[in-house]
Amino acid sequence: MKINRSYVFLFSLFFLGFGPEEKGYIQNIPGTPEVIEMAFIPGGTFSMGSPKSEQGHFGDEGPQHLVEVDPFWMGKFEITWDLYELFISRGIDKKRPATVSGKEVEIDVAAVSGATQPYTEMSFGMGVEGYPAICMTQLAAVKFCEWLSAMTGNFYRLPTEAEWEYACRAGTKTAYSFGDNPSNLDIYAWHEGNSGGAYHKVGQKEPNPWGLYDMHGNVSEWTLDQYVPTVYNTRKRKTVDNPLQTPTKTYPRVVRGGAWSDKPNRLRSAARRPSSKKWKKRDPQIPKSLWWHTDAPFVGFRVVRPLETPSPLDQNKYWN
């Protein structure tokens, strides 16, 4: 059975050591001093969702079910304004070298759709340098990944909901990656009780066991999936490999992790949140912007790169 092989795989990773490609690395952004630190996430099987007995449990988190996830790299930090502004301005596109170091992607960076400038200052005065980018739509986050892929030659995308929870848990089965007691949350996360009403620079709190920062709190994070509240109840989810609820409509999509404005129960590893049209309520544009959620100063994202590179056809599916 495939799941049994995953246990063998995990045993090999931890007792024989990672292979040369199965380590963290630093992704340089051509033409800039900016980098993205990537942590290696070993594949494995975990119990997705939360039991009814978990304090703060919501109905859309059950029933728990086994999920197998392939290995991937994930950004140690949420994407910051420093990086996201490069995508918005597109001023460094011409600095992309004729031959990039990565060989996974072959697309013309000029062909990647760019986000429009927002009509207002989207950090809302909370900070820019070193702070997480916020208010982008899922489309904008997806296109950032496509742009990043074109600039570097390595394939990047948003995490699936399953990958996100697996990485957040980092081998734990408790409500948070540090245990069940929310009184310890201040050590690991910015939330309603300690944020002072704003987000904070990335990486200021302790990381989870796999070296990922701000998986709980600071800003919620986009995933690839359509939000379906009853998806865990489907027969297909008894045991499943690399699940992805492929989107068929704009709303709702899944964001994870909770934010600086949330109570502790929203920061649990299993907590799910649907996106909403209300996140554009104050957008004065007609039609509403495809790129910005004016009323979602609590949503950002981080990137992943799968160990096994998908085909060019599948790459486009992730970006479109």
Side-chain angles (χ1 to χ4, degrees):
M1 296 293 292
K2 195 169 186 180
I3 289 179
N4 290 336
R5 287 203 302 270
S6 74
Y7 289 132
V8 173
F9 175 67
L10 282 172
F11 180 91
S12 299
L13 284 178
F14 287 109
F15 290 91
L16 299 179
F18 295 138
E21 76 282 7
E22 294 163 351
K23 298 178 181 178
Y25 67 95
I26 294 176
Q27 176 64 72
N28 297 302
I29 312 300
T32 81
E34 299 296 333
V35 299
I36 300 177
E37 294 185 50
M38 303 294 292
F40 181 71
I41 310 300
T45 301
F46 79 110
S47 186
M48 188 171 182
S50 68
K52 291 182 179 180
S53 59
E54 185 171 291
Q55 183 178 356
H57 167 89
F58 292 101
D60 63 354
E61 298 167 18
Q64 285 186 290
H65 54 290
L66 289 178
V67 168
E68 185 168 6
V69 176
D70 290 339
F72 60 97
W73 290 275
M74 177 177 254
K76 289 185 177 181
F77 307 101
E78 294 154 338
I79 293 297
T80 63
W81 282 115
D82 312 72
L83 292 163
Y84 198 66
E85 286 286 355
L86 298 175
F87 166 64
I88 296 173
S89 67
R90 303 295 291 271
I92 67 166
D93 285 15
K94 59 182 177 295
K95 295 184 179 181
R96 178 189 182 277
T99 302
V100 293
S101 58
K103 305 300 179 185
E104 300 171 355
V105 172
E106 294 183 7
I107 55 175
D108 183 358
V109 69
V112 180
S113 299
T116 59
Q117 289 288 339
Y119 86 96
T120 190
E121 201 278 304
M122 284 296 182
S123 77
F124 297 99
M126 292 189 288
V128 176
E129 292 184 9
Y131 291 86
I134 55 171
C135 292
M136 75 291 295
T137 61
Q138 192 212 45
L139 170 67
V142 165
K143 289 301 178 183
F144 173 92
C145 294
E146 184 179 12
W147 171 81
L148 178 64
S149 301
M151 289 293 293
T152 64
N154 292 324
F155 173 70
Y156 290 98
R157 59 169 171 80
L158 293 181
T160 65
E161 186 177 13
E163 288 171 337
W164 193 97
E165 184 174 329
Y166 177 70
C168 179
R169 289 188 176 281
T172 66
K173 298 180 180 179
T174 48
Y176 307 92
S177 63
F178 53 83
D180 287 313
N181 192 345
S183 66
N184 295 323
L185 198 58
D186 286 359
I187 302 172
Y188 297 89
W190 297 108
H191 56 95
E192 182 189 60
N194 70 352
S195 67
Y199 61 40
H200 290 256
K201 287 187 176 183
V202 301
Q204 300 299 298
K205 296 293 186 177
E206 290 297 309
N208 77 358
W210 284 349
L212 302 172
Y213 294 80
D214 301 309
M215 292 296 282
H216 305 294
N218 209 23
V219 295
S220 298
E221 299 175 12
W222 283 113
T223 70
L224 284 170
D225 296 60
Q226 187 86 57
Y227 174 79
V228 178
T230 58
V231 69
Y232 294 0
N233 280 307
T234 62
R235 299 177 74 180
K236 294 179 181 179
R237 296 291 290 235
K238 295 297 182 183
T239 300
V240 63
D241 298 346
N242 302 300
L244 168 62
Q245 190 67 30
T246 304
T248 58
K249 53 186 178 180
T250 303
Y251 297 101
R253 307 285 174 92
V254 181
V255 294
R256 286 298 203 110
W260 56 269
S261 54
D262 283 323
K263 297 182 184 300
N265 67 329
R266 282 289 180 187
L267 275 62
R268 292 173 302 108
S269 298
R272 312 171 70 209
R273 170 176 283 161
S275 64
S276 170
K277 291 181 180 179
K278 294 180 180 179
W279 293 1
K280 292 185 181 182
K281 185 176 180 180
R282 288 180 294 175
D283 186 347
Q285 302 176 85
I286 300 175
K288 301 285 189 180
S289 173
L290 294 174
W291 304 100
W292 299 99
H293 275 133
T294 315
D295 295 270
F298 47 81
V299 174
F301 70 103
R302 72 181 73 213
V303 300
V304 303
R305 177 187 172 198
L307 182 61
E308 184 175 341
T309 305
S311 68
L313 179 61
D314 286 337
Q315 290 177 15
N316 283 315
K317 290 179 180 178
Y318 286 118
W319 296 328
N320 293 282

